[in-house]
Amino acid sequence: MSPDPLDALRQATRARVALGRAGDAMPTAHLLTLRQAHAAARDAVHDPLDADALAAEIERELGVGVCRVASSAPDRSRYLQRPDQGRRLAPDTELPAGEYDLALVVGDGLSPLAIRRHAVPMLREILARLDGWRVAPVVVATQARVALGDEIATAIGARSVLVLIGERPGMSSTDSLGAYFTYDARRGRRDSERNCLSNIRPPYGVDYAPAADTLAMLMAEARRLKLSGTALKADPALPSAEEPS
């Protein structure tokens, strides 16, 4: 039997390539695998984050203070139906205020599984690169959207915010972690005013150390230029908006 010329391609990607067919349909084995992947993606969205356990792990493993907050979405169903509520803190939320350069927020987002697997090792790499930064206690947030970090930074007294959050699961990726950095964080910031590094999920995605290196470079440039978002380039060789090309 001659080798299948597509085998090399299949081994090089997690995408579903040239699955074949059985009559007018997909082969049963591939169909069952696809349904299993779909079920895993749904489970990743709905499986709740044990925020108390995560906060305890962060304190124990990283030796930093941790605060707990929730968004104004009262439950997972409302969180999925009303993204706006996930961007606002729950009423009467109190956070210890100070003067900080950076707030670090860990939010469950659309994949609490990603937070359970990757948040602590990613935080460890980030904290190791923050010499000279006044860093607020880490905030663990549930039913969180990215923009919730803006309100947290304002409440805690931080100029900038870095949000680690579970990204929307896909059919081949249920545990992808995203990192969103915003300089001069405050309510009303647009997505174009943030820098995003996505698909942090070794061994299949970006590893923790290179992700932290990229974030540290972006954050240092943000402090120097006093901006973030599309005007701030991830490649130091590219000119930023306030520099001559």
Side-chain angles (χ1 to χ4, degrees), residues 8-243:
L9 179 59
R10 295 190 186 101
Q11 294 172 13
T13 177
R14 290 172 62 82
R16 293 169 175 82
V17 178
L19 300 181
R21 65 182 184 181
D24 293 331
M26 188 184 303
T28 301
H30 292 305
L31 177 61
L32 293 176
T33 301
L34 190 68
R35 289 182 176 177
Q36 181 183 35
H38 184 251
R42 290 175 61 88
D43 288 346
V45 171
H46 291 281
D47 191 20
L49 177 68
D50 188 338
D52 290 331
L54 176 62
E57 183 181 4
I58 292 171
E59 290 181 333
R60 181 179 67 253
E61 298 294 328
L62 305 181
V64 296
V66 181
C67 302
R68 280 277 323 278
V69 301
S71 76
S72 62
D75 51 45
R76 200 64 176 169
S77 177
R78 187 74 64 83
Y79 169 80
L80 295 172
Q81 295 176 39
R82 292 285 304 273
D84 59 307
Q85 293 187 358
R87 302 184 185 110
R88 301 285 179 262
L89 283 167
D92 303 322
T93 298
E94 294 184 4
L95 284 166
E99 293 186 5
Y100 301 104
D101 298 314
L102 180 68
L104 292 172
V105 178
V106 179
D108 52 2
L110 289 169
S111 176
L113 176 64
I115 295 301
R116 289 199 297 273
R117 289 182 176 173
H118 306 302
V120 172
M122 189 62 206
L123 275 175
R124 180 180 290 110
E125 295 291 342
I126 291 168
L127 288 168
R129 292 161 172 78
L130 292 180
D131 287 344
W133 289 73
R134 297 173 297 172
V135 183
V138 174
V139 178
V140 174
T142 51
Q143 314 298 6
R145 300 278 177 174
V146 172
L148 188 67
D150 299 334
E151 291 210 348
I152 291 171
T154 300
I156 213 167
R159 183 65 179 271
S160 302
V161 63
L162 177 63
V163 179
L164 301 181
I165 195 164
E167 297 183 313
R168 181 179 60 190
M171 299 294 279
S172 61
S173 171
T174 60
D175 64 337
S176 182
L177 182 73
Y180 292 79
F181 174 75
T182 310
Y183 181 82
D184 192 19
R186 47 187 162 79
R187 180 183 286 193
R189 279 299 200 186
R190 300 185 299 272
D191 288 341
S192 61
E193 295 171 307
R194 315 184 197 282
N195 291 92
C196 172
L197 182 60
S198 62
N199 198 35
I200 303 170
R201 52 185 293 265
Y204 302 111
V206 182
D207 210 336
Y208 307 128
D213 287 341
T214 299
L215 288 169
M217 182 276 295
L218 284 168
M219 291 159 64
E221 284 294 283
R223 291 179 80 183
R224 182 175 71 87
L225 299 171
K226 296 181 171 50
L227 55 81
S228 61
T230 55
L232 182 64
K233 305 303 180 184
D235 186 345
L238 296 176
S240 295
E242 296 190 3
E243 293 182 321

